[in-house]
Amino acid sequence: MDIQFSDADLAFRDQVRDFFKEHFTDELAARLANPKTFKDAIIEWQKVLANKGWIAPNWPVEHGGTNWSTAQEYLYERERAVAGVPDVLPFGLKMVGQVILAFGNEEQKQKFLPRIYSSDDWWCQGYSEPGAGSDLAALKTRAVRDGDDYIVNGAKIWTTYAQYADWIFCLVRTDPEGKKQSGISFLLIDMSTPGITVNKIESIDNYHSLNEVVFDNVRVPVANRIGEENKGWTYAKFLLAHERTAIAEVAKSGRFLSELKAIANTEISGGKSLMEDTMIQQRFANIEIELMALEYTELRVLSGFAEGKGPGPESSLLKLKGTEIQQAIQQLRMDLAGYYSGVLQGELSSSELGHEFGDRARREYMYGRAATIYGGSNEVQKNITAKVVLGL
């Protein structure tokens, strides 16, 4: 692939860079890093992007998309990562929004898309269940037709930011007979509906982002079903391909690796910098090689988008290798922090010892263990790649 950037592309890159410098302030970054102010801060930032017209680059222009070229999309993501700017919350803009655009009817598009675009509605994802994680087709949450409504009973788990959500998009079983991939429908459910309970799950990094969502005789209008009844598996696969592409976080990994290089060059051990250790050099080199290969795979996927193609089996490769690289970087961060990465929260933390890097290393390492599980475990991604790419 020829990725030489034109003068227009470079001018666009400078525009993006200047925009982030002006609008993504240190004060906003601090609020985003604080769990108590995160919700309001991320909504505020997304509204800034929406006002600029940059909130949903891959949406059609008539719905607020940017019509950027593949090169511009790539440059935007690179500059965003370098500036430490968070990605938009994916559940509305990159997941259910894409499904509504592709499979929703006109009434659904008019009702949901403007509020997703403006971040007036916060969405969460109801896929995994206590007995159906990577084997998502084994889900048991039932939706029984009752006139113009479905009656939904069951539970979803690991639901990120459900405590903030206005809406949840759910896979539910509308026909319990036959092949397990059949009989699944895709519903949009108002989180304020009676019968919905959100139970907090505190993750290993002591942070509350995960939840269990329980449905007890919840009435959902049939009008909130996307597409045909019992065809939800088709829409789910479409969404997961977009999710797995986003999970790869190629540009973000590049920024983290650059940060670690700076630390390794300044941290002293045995009278010399950590970067002078040949084993540390080798670990950096190995990660950089893997990341470069993944970056070119990402460019192929973006090129496919530019030609009107949806994400194909490459999305599984992006998710598979992207999350493995994330974990390799997290492990390297832990090792560079040394003993400070082992200090647990309590009466004394790494931050209080004057080593915030160590505290961050521990937290990101702990939460990052889930990266190879969520969005479809890497074992599942290997099976998909073997079947679709290699024909096994």
Side-chain angles (χ1 to χ4, degrees), residues 50 57 67 69 74 85 112 171 184 205 227 234 236 238 245 259 273 300 305 323 370:
N67 198 30
S69 66
Y74 173 78
V85 176
F112 293 109
L171 292 182
I184 294 173
D205 60 350
T234 299
F238 174 87
T245 302
E259 290 177 357
S273 72
R300 286 197 295 273
F305 282 143
T323 52

Side-chain angles (χ1 to χ4, degrees), residues 94-304:
K94 294 188 175 183
M95 294 183 186
V96 72
Q98 297 283 4
V99 172
I100 294 171
L101 282 164
F103 304 106
N105 58 41
E106 193 58 35
E107 182 180 350
Q108 290 167 338
K109 291 177 182 178
Q110 293 300 321
K111 178 179 180 179
F112 293 109
L113 292 178
R115 293 184 63 84
I116 292 173
Y117 189 93
S118 63
S119 298
D120 288 330
D121 283 337
W122 187 301
W123 284 80
C124 63
Q125 178 184 29
Y127 271 27
S128 295
E129 298 184 2
S134 292
D135 185 14
L136 183 59
L139 65 90
K140 292 182 172 57
T141 295
R142 286 294 310 275
V144 178
R145 185 74 176 262
D146 181 27
D148 291 333
D149 294 333
Y150 289 106
I151 309 299
V152 179
N153 285 279
K156 299 295 180 178
I157 202 166
W158 315 126
T159 311
T160 303
Y161 295 134
Q163 74 269 33
Y164 302 141
D166 303 298
W167 287 83
I168 182 171
F169 56 93
C170 275
L171 292 182
V172 296
R173 191 162 296 284
T174 43
D175 184 353
E177 305 297 330
K179 188 178 178 182
K180 63 183 182 180
Q181 282 84 0
S182 303
I184 294 173
S185 296
F186 194 107
L187 294 185
L188 312 179
I189 304 176
D190 187 337
M191 288 289 283
S192 66
T193 308
I196 297 179
T197 303
V198 177
N199 298 318
K200 173 182 177 180
I201 299 174
E202 191 169 285
S203 52
I204 195 171
D205 60 350
N206 299 322
Y207 186 70
H208 176 208
S209 64
L210 305 174
N211 304 270
E212 177 191 44
V213 181
V214 180
F215 302 92
D216 182 11
N217 291 322
V218 176
R219 282 194 170 269
V220 180
V222 173
N224 286 6
R225 186 192 70 223
I226 296 294
E228 299 179 47
E229 186 173 87
N230 300 328
K231 299 295 184 183
W233 189 249
T234 299
Y235 317 138
K237 289 191 295 183
F238 174 87
L239 183 150
L240 283 171
H242 284 275
E243 178 186 12
R244 288 164 186 164
T245 302
I247 286 173
E249 295 187 341
V250 177
K252 185 176 180 180
S253 290
R255 176 171 64 87
F256 284 166
L257 197 61
S258 295
E259 290 177 357
L260 292 187
K261 274 189 172 182
I263 290 168
N265 277 307
T266 56
E267 288 287 317
I268 304 299
S269 176
K272 59 182 181 180
S273 72
L274 292 175
M275 188 56 90
E276 293 180 68
D277 186 318
T278 55
M279 293 298 293
I280 294 293
Q281 293 173 11
Q282 183 177 355
R283 290 177 65 181
F284 271 105
N286 289 341
I287 295 173
E288 285 182 320
I289 291 169
E290 295 259 321
L291 191 59
M292 182 181 295
L294 188 67
E295 187 176 5
Y296 278 92
T297 302
E298 182 184 50
L299 286 170
R300 286 197 295 273
V301 173
L302 291 176
S303 181

